[in-house]
Amino acid sequence: MRRFVLCLLLLTLPAWSQELVGDGIVRYATAGVELPPSLALPNRPPARGRAEARYRPHIEGGHVSVDLPPGIDLYGTGEVAGPLRRNGRSIELWNHDNYGYVDYGGNRLYQSHPWVLGVEPDGRAFGLLFDTTWRSELKLTDQSIDFTSAGPGLEVYVLEGDSPLAVTRKLASLIGTMPLPPRWALGFQQCRYSYAPEEKVREVALGFRNRHIPCDVIWMDIDYMRGYRIFTFDPVGFPDPRALNEFLHQHGFHSVWMIDPGVKNEPGYSVYDSGQQNHVWVKTRDGQDFVGKVWPGDCKFPDFTRPDVRRWWSGLYQDFLAQGVDGVWNDMNEPAVFKPEAVDKSMPPDNRHGGGDGLPPGPHLQYHNVYGMLMARGTREGLLDARPNRRPFVLTRANFLGGQRYAATWTGDNASTWHHLQQAVPMSLNLSLSGQPFNGPDLGGFGGTADPDLWGNWVGFGAFFPFCRAHSSKDTPPKEPWAFGPEVEQAARLALERRYRLLPYLYTLFEQSSLTGDPVMRPVFFADNSLRTEEQAFMLGPDLIVVPAWAKSPRLPEGWTEISLVPGDEGKYQARLLQRPGSIVPLGRVVESTEEPMLEPLTLSVCLDAQGRASGSLYWDEGDGFDYRQGDFRRTRFSASSERGRVTLREQSFEGQRPRDWKKVTGVVWTGRGPRAATGNPGGELVVPLD
Ligand code: MIG
């Protein structure tokens, strides 16, 4: 009898383990399966004891289900098309080259984030992180979350917090944060497939400077290469890349150049030969080098799961960067493969990867979703090795949860349509809620023709995405800001001038995000818990709301103040900007490039709360390099209070050893009767009379 009871007990014991691994973070795991090291988490947190989460996952092998109480709104799940709120949505996690988001109804895009953020009716929040790289499916309904992976088992982290922001911070405590980018990467960027030959690059660069439209970066797409061979330059179109980069630098630009993963299968081509010597390639299930077609024709593909291959890959950047290349754009790294070798536009799922450093060898089915992330990791390391004193900038198309540690991202091949213009907001918001703050769409739309009205509308709000780059495809009419006539050109100038005015605030948000993982772009429900489905207006940090000119009846929190950043910015196509009562937002000067001095003067935009007070901060440093880690930065906190018809602004405190980068401060106080301003010296008190 006793034995029978014991047996029963054993049978009813759950097939998973559970442990407390952080404050409000419980880890569950499939029992009896040995799991590989995590790629989403750089460090697996040790167990501190047993605990039970309120949202208890039921795990069986690779399948997880979680029951939900009524009234939960779901978000996150990475790069997804469709609405901000994800209840009722299913996606497949299998990185996919999805031109125009047309395949699979857009339910499978370039990146995978096995992560869901849930918000309860009262604003408390939770998150579920499914820690597996295998091909998976995620189904969200009002009643449950179901996750099914092709792997034998997984770990599930359940995070609980008082607010969505508290939960995204807990997510960051697990998957890490975005490293602080160089400041130029926050400027406006102009791209096309492709600016070639190099005369065209110079022409576009001068097009910005001659018209005084701010721009920091010009991008080189695949046509700069010699026959699409990566790490080469077309001797006819780009005979002297060093001189071209120098030209761009002299005009206050940085340059970003594309590198794809596929290496042309061609003995005699140095990258191929070196790959052969080092045996770096992904294998077929029969152990042959896999060969698949991409732009250069037949290609072999580096096996980025192997640490030795990532080192080999990093090493390739040395000579490339010596040409004066500033940043690198990794495209096609799902990896995309063309017919006839392609299976579902990528390599066969039974291809073989080698792993290493504890990562077991495994099929492509296991490593497909991290191929792009591991490529970006090797690229970032290559930039760091080659230039240890500069902050790397890498943009990647494919990525995985945690990939913000290596690269920024954009949302792939959208189109110049009203649908994709509107879609850009919820897409970037959900990516932002999934650990990736540094993201944005192809501003203006990649494919198709943009009419002036569409492009004007797009730049009017697109100027405020964390990653802000206009791009367009081959065989489309030109989409530079001046291609749509004088009205749109002026709208673009104003919108981008507004972005540059905001850059000190944006940079402060990026630095904060690099510490805590706070999203830069946020849904409006971060400010008002009742606005759970607002997906036209969005927040930048805690203190600003961007309301696109095209937004129809956006739902907004009460009491925020509309502000103006440059003369004329209430005009056609311009987004409305609302500032939070009680906040101080630091602003810079209108500049055409972040290479110019930006804080002459520093402007503090002040919105008082009901008590007549406000506060805010500015983070500033050299803008590149790592001296900030040795204290060469200044984080200044400002406060404002109003008495007897005047507002007094004070420098409350500061951290860091860097002297102020500004010699004058202008305070602008937004009152019911418009702005009131005064300028003075920093350090002391600045009094702004209200009348
Ligand atoms: O198959 O490099 O998403 O941004 O311009 C197209 C050419 C390959 C896809 C990228 C797009 C880029 C284009 N690339």
Side-chain angles (χ1 to χ4, degrees), residues 40-64:
L41 282 67
N43 304 298
R44 187 171 178 277
R48 304 181 188 172
R50 275 176 67 87
E52 188 74 276
R54 274 188 301 138
Y55 297 87
R56 219 178 85 185
H58 300 268
I59 308 180
E60 260 180 65
H63 180 251
V64 186

Side-chain angles (χ1 to χ4, degrees), residues 552-567:
K552 292 194 183 63
S553 56
R555 298 184 56 219
L556 302 168
E558 306 268 307
W560 289 48
T561 304
E562 182 154 1
I563 63 168
S564 163
L565 296 178
V566 296

Side-chain angles (χ1 to χ4, degrees), residues 77-287:
T77 74
E79 186 187 45
V80 286
L84 175 66
R85 184 173 172 274
R86 303 308 296 167
N87 300 47
R89 305 275 149 179
S90 296
I91 54 167
E92 211 157 341
L93 295 122
W94 187 253
N95 295 355
H96 185 76
D97 177 4
N98 201 337
Y99 180 85
Y101 312 150
V102 289
D103 293 352
Y104 308 102
N107 290 329
R108 193 192 290 175
L109 296 177
Y110 307 85
Q111 324 198 355
S112 295
H113 294 74
W115 158 255
V116 184
L117 172 71
V119 187
E120 299 175 6
D122 65 359
R124 284 193 299 167
F126 65 93
L128 293 165
L129 189 167
F130 305 96
D131 193 10
T132 179
T133 64
W134 290 80
R135 179 179 184 133
S136 308
E137 233 183 277
L138 182 54
K139 280 201 178 109
L140 308 179
T141 72
D142 287 333
Q143 289 83 36
S144 65
I145 297 172
D146 273 90
F147 183 88
T148 308
S149 98
L154 72 164
E155 293 188 321
V156 181
Y157 290 85
V158 183
L159 294 61
E160 293 173 1
D162 290 338
S163 66
L165 188 66
V167 172
T168 56
R169 282 191 182 165
K170 285 182 190 190
L171 173 65
S173 76
L174 296 174
I175 65 169
T177 60
M178 159 200 66
L180 185 62
R183 193 154 55 226
W184 58 264
L186 272 53
F188 175 67
Q189 328 211 2
Q190 183 67 42
C191 187
R192 181 164 171 86
Y193 171 24
S194 300
Y195 291 131
E198 63 162 53
E199 290 74 40
K200 184 69 194 171
V201 179
R202 291 171 202 256
E203 179 196 314
V204 170
L206 292 178
F208 279 93
R209 292 298 177 254
N210 293 337
R211 294 176 176 87
H212 304 292
I213 300 173
C215 183
D216 259 85
V217 191
I218 306 285
W219 289 61
M220 265 51 70
D221 207 321
I222 42 175
D223 294 290
Y224 78 80
M225 300 176 200
R226 181 171 66 86
Y228 306 124
R229 292 167 186 84
I230 56 173
F231 299 103
T232 70
F233 298 91
D234 170 16
V236 179
F238 289 80
D240 194 347
R242 195 193 300 262
L244 177 61
N245 284 322
E246 225 148 76
F247 171 88
L248 291 172
H249 296 157
Q250 274 160 11
H251 289 85
F253 291 100
H254 285 79
S255 67
V256 181
W257 299 65
M258 179 176 276
I259 293 287
D260 288 347
V263 176
K264 189 178 176 76
N265 185 359
E266 180 187 60
Y269 159 42
S270 65
V271 178
Y272 176 79
D273 288 347
S274 153
Q276 286 288 102
Q277 273 155 27
N278 292 283
H279 308 286
V280 302
W281 315 117
V282 175
K283 304 280 185 203
T284 65
R285 76 163 167 217
D286 308 324

Side-chain angles (χ1 to χ4, degrees), residues 347-387:
M347 53 175 66
D350 59 1
N351 268 3
R352 309 290 312 170
H353 293 270
D357 267 357
L359 211 59
H364 192 61
L365 193 68
Q366 180 177 5
Y367 290 123
H368 174 83
N369 284 338
V370 288
Y371 188 84
M373 171 162 106
L374 293 170
M375 175 189 182
R377 175 173 168 184
T379 301
R380 180 177 165 85
E381 281 158 11
L383 268 68
L384 270 176
D385 287 348
R387 293 190 304 229

